[in-house]
Amino acid sequence: MAIDTPTTTTTTATAAAAPTTGSRGPAPADERLTGRAKLVLFVLCAAQFMVALDFSVLNVALPVLGEDLGLSRSALQWAVTAFALPSGGFLLLFGRIADLYGRKKLFLTGLTLFGAASLLATLAWDPASFLAGRALQGLGAAVIVPTGMSLLTTTFPEGPLRDKAIGISGTLLSLGFTIGMVLGGVMTDTLGWRSTMGLLSVTAVLVLALAPGLLPESRTPDRPRLDVPGAVTVTGGLLALIYSLSTAAQRGFGGADVQGTLVAGLLLLTAFAVVESRTPAPLVSLPMLGRRTVAWGNAGGLITFSMMSTVVFVLTLYLQETLGLSSFRTGLVFGVQGVASAFAGSYAPRVIGRFGARRTLIGSLFGQGVFTAALLAVGTGSGALVATVAVSLASMCHLGAIISYGLTVTSGVPDAEQGLATGLVTTTQQVGLTIGIPLLGVLATTQASLFGGVRTVLAIDAAIVVAAAVLVGAGLGVRGRKKA
């Protein structure tokens, strides 16, 4: 059977996305998405939103869930870790498999697995069945995220259309995480914790019903052998690294299992780099990693995700334990943040169109750092308003960084390597979401004064993001007034 090239398999969708220019030359910068292109984008964004929702919708339900299923407080972390391990560990592998054997095919497989796993978690009768469902959800997410992103970047041509598509996707990604925090509390209080998992199952079925008739198939024009040694070392390394950092968030870095898996993870990732330098068909092209836009773009992405997740974590502690706000009122704070993120996502493509993705990334990182520092103005008796405004502005900048780092990394990458590039983007996202809280959040929970710990974390967080803006700017070579 013939293997389709990205050019031939994305023709229909690309044509749907881009208006015909005829003899008038290039399409204008404000070209619009057609009806079919909007449906394609809706399907891909709905899947990404569903996965983002899964990251946070269960968090506020954990105490109730633990009591219902008989999970001890110390074991509750596995409700999160069981999902995080496969969702972060297998991203690069599935991104490459999709390049070789068909992105649409794997995307549909991931949706099916995710939906079935969500149903298992909904119907769970004991801790083992629930954790199995969460682990399978994570595996499905590891398929959906890189294949969905690479379908988006190969379907929409580089330029204004892709900028708009990635802007919408990035907005929904941020909204999914924020809405999950609010929705999880409401659904748990009214319908019970199982409704949060049931919602994900229903969403997967709806997306799966629409996807086959809308999405184009695409893959690389040839099928080099899969880099098995590279797949084993990078997957094992990421699994060990995510496990150690996730466990450290709960128990600190003193445990032998945490230290052992951290060392094992670093050794496996080092072995992965050696393997990739010697194999003729690497899982990750080292020359790609050597590209300035890929290396520094992903560095910016890692910082924005890890530091913003830390802000949300410590701010939740501050609002509830220092100010004494209820879960509902705390949710409202993050609801405002979500609205601000949505506004930023709709406006970000215009900013990128004017200043370029690289300059937008640097400016967004700097803004995120400045507004995180503004959170230091909160006090022990009051500060909810300051916190709401500052975190919303920081989140707007964070959203700009998400969109612009994705564009920075994937721009100029051939369609045959989009799965690799987007696999790196999404791996950065998952690892960033995982490492921030263990590395900084523990400072807030282990100090004698929670408020003092929160302020320490916010100050360090802000300094890291501002420093990253300077370093990423230097690494990308952005200077002067020229659009980058």
Side-chain angles (χ1 to χ4, degrees):
M1 183 172 65
I3 299 172
D4 298 321
T5 66
T7 302
T8 59
T9 56
T10 59
T11 301
T12 302
T14 302
T20 305
T21 59
S23 59
R24 292 177 297 170
D30 60 346
E31 55 186 280
R32 296 180 179 179
L33 298 171
T34 64
R36 181 177 177 81
K38 289 178 181 178
L39 287 174
V40 171
L41 183 58
F42 171 79
V43 167
L44 295 174
C45 288
Q48 302 284 355
F49 178 83
M50 174 183 69
V51 174
L53 195 68
D54 198 12
F55 268 101
S56 57
V57 73
L58 195 65
N59 286 352
V60 294
L62 288 178
V64 178
L65 180 155
E67 184 177 347
D68 184 31
L69 292 179
L71 274 171
S72 65
R73 180 175 295 180
S74 61
L76 281 179
Q77 63 149 326
W78 282 101
V80 177
T81 304
F83 178 87
L85 279 170
S87 67
F90 288 94
L91 276 168
L92 280 175
L93 175 61
F94 284 128
R96 187 52 172 163
I97 291 175
D99 278 346
L100 301 180
Y101 300 105
R103 295 163 183 138
K104 175 182 175 181
K105 184 187 304 180
L106 208 62
F107 181 76
L108 297 178
T109 302
L111 281 172
T112 303
L113 176 59
F114 188 92
S118 298
L119 181 60
L120 174 59
T122 303
L123 302 175
W125 54 93
D126 60 14
S129 58
F130 175 73
L131 294 177
R134 290 292 287 164
L136 291 172
Q137 275 184 324
L139 195 62
V143 179
I144 293 168
V145 172
T147 54
M149 187 68 173
S150 58
L151 279 168
L152 187 149
T153 56
T154 55
T155 298
F156 295 94
E158 189 171 331
L161 284 175
R162 185 183 292 180
D163 291 358
K164 183 179 295 185
I166 291 183
I168 294 171
S169 178
T171 301
L172 289 176
L173 177 70
S174 180
L175 278 176
F177 185 82
T178 303
I179 289 174
M181 297 179 67
V182 181
L183 193 60
V186 173
M187 294 183 72
T188 300
D189 286 344
T190 57
L191 300 173
W193 71 265
R194 294 179 188 274
S195 65
T196 63
M197 296 291 97
L199 173 64
L200 298 171
S201 183
V202 171
T203 304
V205 170
L206 293 176
V207 176
L208 191 59
L210 294 173
L214 287 172
L215 299 180
E217 182 58 283
S218 67
R219 58 174 68 88
T220 56
D222 54 8
R223 282 191 184 176
R225 294 179 60 185
L226 183 64
D227 173 23
V228 175
V232 170
T233 51
V234 73
T235 301
L238 288 173
L239 286 172
L241 185 64
I242 293 170
Y243 170 84
S244 64
L245 293 175
S246 298
T247 307
Q250 304 294 325
R251 297 194 278 111
F253 286 94
D257 59 334
V258 174
Q259 295 174 358
T261 50
L262 180 61
V263 171
L266 294 175
L267 289 175
L268 284 168
L269 292 177
T270 301
F272 169 68
V274 174
V275 168
E276 298 307 275
S277 68
R278 297 179 179 179
T279 183
L283 183 68
V284 173
S285 167
L286 292 184
M288 176 184 285
L289 287 175
R291 291 179 182 176
R292 186 166 58 183
T293 53
V294 173
W296 287 103
N298 275 302
L302 184 69
I303 292 297
T304 193
F305 272 111
S306 60
M307 294 299 102
M308 196 65 203
S309 65
T310 303
V311 168
V312 171
F313 174 75
V314 299
L315 196 59
T316 301
L317 295 177
Y318 164 76
L319 292 171
Q320 293 192 22
E321 299 190 26
T322 300
L323 295 187
L325 298 188
S326 66
S327 298
F328 177 73
R329 291 182 65 189
T330 301
L332 289 180
V333 171
F334 292 109
V336 174
Q337 176 197 17
V339 172
S341 296
F343 174 79
S346 65
Y347 198 78
R350 301 182 191 179
V351 177
I352 292 170
R354 180 173 181 181
F355 297 104
R358 302 184 199 181
R359 292 178 67 88
T360 303
L361 173 59
I362 297 161
S364 297
L365 286 172
F366 185 78
Q368 180 180 328
V370 169
F371 290 119
T372 297
L375 285 166
L376 293 171
V378 299
T380 55
S382 63
L385 179 60
V386 172
T388 302
V389 173
V391 77
S392 296
L393 292 173
S395 186
M396 291 175 70
C397 295
H398 169 62
L399 208 287
I402 291 175
I403 297 171
S404 53
Y405 107 85
L407 287 170
T408 298
V409 173
T410 59
S411 295
V413 176
D415 277 0
E417 294 184 331
Q418 279 294 335
L420 289 175
T422 57
L424 289 171
V425 169
T426 50
T427 298
T428 294
Q429 166 195 317
Q430 304 290 76
V431 173
L433 287 169
T434 302
I435 67 174
I437 295 173
L439 292 179
L440 286 183
V442 292
L443 294 177
T445 58
T446 55
Q447 292 194 20
S449 165
L450 175 64
F451 179 66
V454 167
R455 286 179 57 85
T456 299
V457 170
L458 290 174
I460 295 173
D461 190 298
I464 289 174
V465 180
V466 170
V470 175
L471 292 174
V472 171
L476 289 174
V478 177
R479 57 177 65 88
R481 296 186 178 181
K482 186 177 179 180
K483 177 179 170 178

